[in-house]
Structure formats: C-alpha cells, structure tokens
Amino acid sequence: DAGITQSPRYKITETGRQVTLMCHQTWSHSYMFWYRQDLGHGLRLIYYSAAADITDKGEVPDGYVVSRSKTENFPLTLESATRSQTSVYFCASRGTGGGDEQYFGPGTRLTVT
Amino acid sequence: LAKTTQPISMDSYEGQEVNITCSHNNIATNDYITWYQQFPSQGPRFIIQGYKTKVTNEVASLFIPADRKSSTLSLPRVSLSDTAVYYCLGAPMEYGNKLVFGAGTILRVKS
C-alpha cells in the first residue's frame, strides 16, 4: 500500500518490557518523525531522522531508541516500558522541499500496564 | 520555534463560515505559518500553509497580516465533518521541519 503505515495499531504491554513500534513509508521521503500524543494534548516530538543512519532527539526522547537502516523504515523502541509511556504514537514523513508538509500515519495506541 | 496561541474551542453551525485566529508573536522570519487538522483517532492532516498575505486552496483560506504576528484560518460553509482539532504552528523552511504542536482549537460543528 502506498503511503505511511504503522504497526501494530494497538498494543498492550507490561511495565519493564521492551516494545517496538514500526513505521513504513513508500514515498522515499528523507525525513521521518515520531510523535506522541497524550489524551487531550497536542503532539510532542520524540525523535526524528533526516536520512538513513541519521537520527536526532526531539522534545521528549528519554526512554526511547530509534534506528533508521533503510530510508523507508523508522522503528521506535521503548527499551523498558513505563506507565507514563502510555500514549498514542504517530509517525510522520516529509520530503526535502522547503515547507513540505508532513504526512502522518494512522497512529499506534500503546497501553503500558 | 514559535509558540502559538489559539482559542481552546469554538462552536459553529453547518453552513457558517468559521474563522480561527492564531497568535504567534515570535514567529521566525524563515517559518511558514501552517495549519493542520486532526480527527479523532487519526493523525494530523495538512490543511494550508502561507508566508504572508492570503493563501487559498480547495479547503480553506489563510490570512496573514504584514507583521505576521497572527494568522486566521477561514473555513467556508462548514459541515459536520469539519468537527476536528485545528493546530496552528510555525514550520521552519529549513532543515528538519521540526513542528511544535500546541493544544489546538477544538471546532465543534452542530446541525
């Protein structure tokens, strides 16, 4: 399917477990982003990537790890999940043109019990 | 990155024009003013973007005064399906395009 996809769409995990959220885009966009959105709030940037093998921290990176070995994939790993990481996670991508819009995935709803 | 201020919520009726104003006193010279729309359980969707004056597309119009300290998103003849959260933000033209989302404006369209 063309576009940007996320998996899983829903995940329940226990405190202390490692969990990986997947993001895949088919546009060959250079930039990819991970955001979290907590109930009733706007989105906060966790990590972003300008290209394969180039990543950088956003506003709330603690407790998260990212990698980008291929342009089309940008997985987000919670190394040891905590209840405060219960949230909806959105992946986004954009091209390299000035002012290019970001395209967002459908989101992953993660619950940490 | 620019901090924006928007009304928390707005109510409207079907068929009316809705104007949502956003204040961004410290918008950077190289930032676009950008609006996104978000429906429940979905990711945000780009609506419109501009630098100054007026921009119009098939969905909305964006009015930006010369001083760029505010902007107004105009939605003509809203319908129930326009009920959503609308975010105003500065989008850097350059590297990274790191967007800073505020709480947004909840628009409720009633019949």
Side-chain angles (χ1 to χ4, degrees):
Chain A
D1 292 337
I4 184 165
T5 56
Q6 295 182 233
S7 62
R9 293 294 313 279
Y10 302 90
K11 177 73 176 179
I12 299 174
T13 192
E14 295 178 341
T15 300
R17 289 192 180 269
Q18 182 182 82
V19 60
T20 296
L21 309 183
M22 304 301 294
C23 179
H24 175 79
Q25 52 102 357
T26 61
W27 296 300
S28 298
H29 282 166
S30 294
Y31 292 101
M32 295 188 74
F33 308 82
W34 274 106
Y35 296 87
R36 62 176 287 174
Q37 184 172 36
D38 301 313
L39 190 64
H41 292 84
L43 286 81
R44 290 184 292 172
L45 181 65
I46 304 171
Y47 268 97
Y48 68 101
S49 169
D53 297 322
I54 301 175
T55 62
D56 206 349
K57 297 178 180 179
E59 182 185 357
V60 288
D62 293 343
Y64 303 95
V65 175
V66 294
S67 62
R68 192 153 176 223
S69 57
K70 294 183 178 181
T71 299
E72 61 267 29
N73 296 324
F74 191 37
L76 175 74
T77 297
L78 288 68
E79 294 185 299
S80 178
T82 66
R83 289 181 179 173
S84 65
Q85 292 177 311
T86 292
S87 189
V88 180
Y89 291 84
F90 290 101
C91 178
S93 71
R94 70 173 285 259
T96 54
D100 277 0
E101 63 186 88
Q102 287 194 14
Y103 293 88
F104 285 80
T108 294
R109 184 175 296 275
L110 176 68
T111 301
V112 182
T113 62
Chain B
L1 295 173
K3 175 178 169 56
T4 60
T5 303
Q6 311 173 227
I8 294 174
S9 65
M10 296 180 67
D11 291 332
S12 182
Y13 289 93
E14 287 186 288
Q16 290 187 331
E17 178 185 75
V18 171
N19 296 310
I20 305 175
T21 297
C22 177
S23 171
H24 31 75
N25 292 323
N26 63 338
I27 190 88
T29 302
N30 60 346
D31 276 6
Y32 287 107
I33 295 162
T34 306
W35 288 78
Y36 280 77
Q37 174 192 56
Q38 185 178 25
F39 297 113
S41 302
Q42 294 185 25
R45 182 175 72 101
F46 174 89
I47 301 175
I48 196 167
Q49 176 172 269
Y51 189 75
K52 55 183 174 182
T53 65
K54 177 183 175 181
V55 178
T56 298
N57 62 21
E58 64 277 8
V59 176
S61 295
L62 178 59
F63 300 91
I64 305 170
D67 64 9
R68 292 181 17 101
K69 293 185 182 299
S70 66
S71 61
T72 299
L73 174 73
S74 181
L75 304 172
R77 296 179 298 281
V78 294
S79 64
L80 295 175
S81 62
D82 291 317
T83 294
V85 179
Y86 292 82
Y87 297 98
C88 160
L89 50 156
M93 300 177 188
E94 300 165 354
Y95 171 77
N97 190 211
K98 291 195 290 183
L99 304 180
V100 178
F101 286 83
T105 297
I106 300 171
L107 172 65
R108 300 185 189 91
V109 180
K110 305 174 184 178
S111 59

